[in-house]
Amino acid sequence: MANTSPLNLDFVRSQFPGLDRGWTFFDNAGGSQILKGAVERINTFLIDKNVQIGGSYEVSQAAASALYEARTAAMHLVNASRPEEIVFGSSTTALLQNLARAMQSQLAPGDEIIVTVADHESNIGPWDRLQERGIVLKVWPLNKESLTLDLADLEPLMSERTRLVCVTHCSNILGSINPIRQIADFVHVRGAKICVDAVAYAPHRAVDVQAFDVDYYVFSLYKTYGPHYALMYGKYDLLLELDTLYHYFYGKDKVPGKLEPGNPNYELAYSTCGIVDYLTTLGEQAGETGTVRQKIVAAYAAITEQENALSERLLAYLRSRNDCHIVGQSFNRGGNRVPTIAFRFVGRDAGELCKAMDSEKIAMRFGDFHSRRLAEYLGLTDHGGMLRVSMVHYNTIEEVDRFTAALDRILSGEAGLAKAS
């Protein structure tokens, strides 16, 4: 099949060394492959700059410069207004737990935090635990018919005591993109702040925290072509108000260091530069000659076009089967769905089907994907939960076709699978 992708897929795939192992990676929502350029940045730091920042000597100054370069790269990646608005951490889960700790002095018993049933547990658990301190937790339900978060269902939950609304930009099960700017405007008019988990969004679309007008925005680098690390954006004035999580002499004005106890992992933070370098190159290949930020936006436009083709290829196959239940939108209307697609087959155990793919060297996943409350809410926890194929732009139409052919063989009984009881 001729390559009609807007991306140079030969170049793209050459930048991910892990793709050379003969596996088709359809578990990218669990963790994408890492860029060669990100690995090179890690190695460069460890070989050339591997000392503690804060010293007067040359190598320590170089380490500090590398960390600032990492924050600057992340600033471009999310369109923050300044590098100091970037907080690094070990994972999205850890960053959100740290944020909840750092907000405690701002919260009083009776204050309210709203979470959604559609979120990954990372953006529910830290706020749920604040109930021990007298915080009232409310749950914004998902409309079971449309599988959307409706503002009409949020409005009655909000009151003058609502301090924070926590929501996902994109569900790692449903795959549909939530209208974050619309939600942020709604929340801000009512005097509250918004915290967004963007783990399932950031690998697929350009992030623009200023256009979204979000207060806190968090995602994982290891699902966005980097190492096992994460970053959080926060509006600078709001970061100033947070409690310090570091030593007592790290005052409230020491942003973002006060939120990175023990300091960030320098080499993993530095890998962010490699991610931005790659996206900048993709933007240039797409014809963009402007700023780093403009090249990132152009790169994601090309990424989106490639991923839309992948989504439709798989969704069309799944729609063609009368024994398949697609979880979420069965069409990618207006490109409002990322290529993270969960589904089930009538009477079949998701775990058995998933494991049968191992011998095909196709990596995917089954279960609830740490969005257990959503899986329970939708009644999708039996028979091993759901199957999930999660693709990114380096995946190909040929890989989708190989997967569906393998699935046909497995479902037809050639693999000897027993139906779930």
Side-chain angles (χ1 to χ4, degrees), residues 267-286:
E267 64 270 21
L268 299 188
Y270 195 48
S271 74
T272 310
C273 301
I275 299 170
V276 169
D277 289 344
Y278 168 72
L279 293 169
T280 299
T281 300
L282 291 189
E284 291 170 349
Q285 291 178 352

Side-chain angles (χ1 to χ4, degrees), residues 143-155:
N143 184 311
K144 286 188 176 180
E145 293 185 4
S146 65
L147 295 180
T148 59
L149 292 168
D150 296 340
L151 292 178
D153 295 325
L154 175 60
E155 185 164 23

Side-chain angles (χ1 to χ4, degrees), residues 79-262:
N79 199 31
S81 62
R82 56 194 293 182
E84 292 81 8
E85 291 183 322
I86 302 300
V87 181
F88 287 112
S90 60
S91 66
T92 294
T93 298
L95 283 168
L96 286 167
Q97 289 178 357
N98 283 347
L99 179 61
R101 287 173 54 210
M103 289 184 67
Q104 287 184 9
S105 69
Q106 301 176 25
L107 301 171
D111 284 347
E112 301 165 357
I113 292 177
I114 298 173
V115 300
T116 85
V117 73
D119 266 68
H120 188 283
E121 189 63 20
S122 292
N123 205 22
I124 300 175
W127 313 112
D128 184 31
R129 285 190 280 276
L130 290 179
Q131 291 189 88
E132 300 170 357
R133 303 176 64 88
I135 304 305
V136 176
L137 191 78
K138 295 182 176 180
V139 179
W140 181 3
L142 185 78
N143 184 311
K144 286 188 176 180
E145 293 185 4
S146 65
L147 295 180
T148 59
L149 292 168
D150 296 340
L151 292 178
D153 295 325
L154 175 60
E155 185 164 23
L157 298 176
M158 298 195 71
S159 76
E160 61 181 12
R161 296 299 299 273
T162 304
R163 299 291 177 257
L164 186 68
V165 175
C166 304
V167 63
T168 182
H169 202 152
C170 177
S171 166
N172 72 336
I173 288 178
L174 303 175
S176 51
I177 299 170
N178 291 317
I180 291 300
R181 178 55 190 256
Q182 184 182 3
I183 297 170
D185 289 347
F186 187 91
V187 167
H188 289 151
V189 165
R190 287 158 180 79
K193 296 179 178 63
I194 184 170
C195 174
V196 179
D197 174 355
V199 168
Y201 178 89
H204 309 289
R205 299 288 192 274
V207 171
D208 191 336
V209 293
Q210 294 188 69
F212 301 152
D213 196 22
V214 287
D215 298 302
Y216 303 103
Y217 195 88
V218 193
F219 62 91
S220 298
L221 293 176
Y222 71 94
K223 300 180 182 182
T224 315
Y225 320 120
H228 202 106
Y229 212 48
L231 67 82
M232 178 178 76
Y233 158 83
K235 290 179 177 175
Y236 187 76
D237 290 346
L238 297 182
L239 296 180
L240 283 173
E241 296 173 3
L242 295 174
D243 303 336
T244 182
L245 302 179
Y246 212 165
H247 305 310
Y248 75 91
F249 45 82
Y250 274 58
K252 284 204 166 190
D253 62 342
K254 194 171 180 59
V255 173
K258 69 177 184 178
L259 302 171
E260 299 170 329

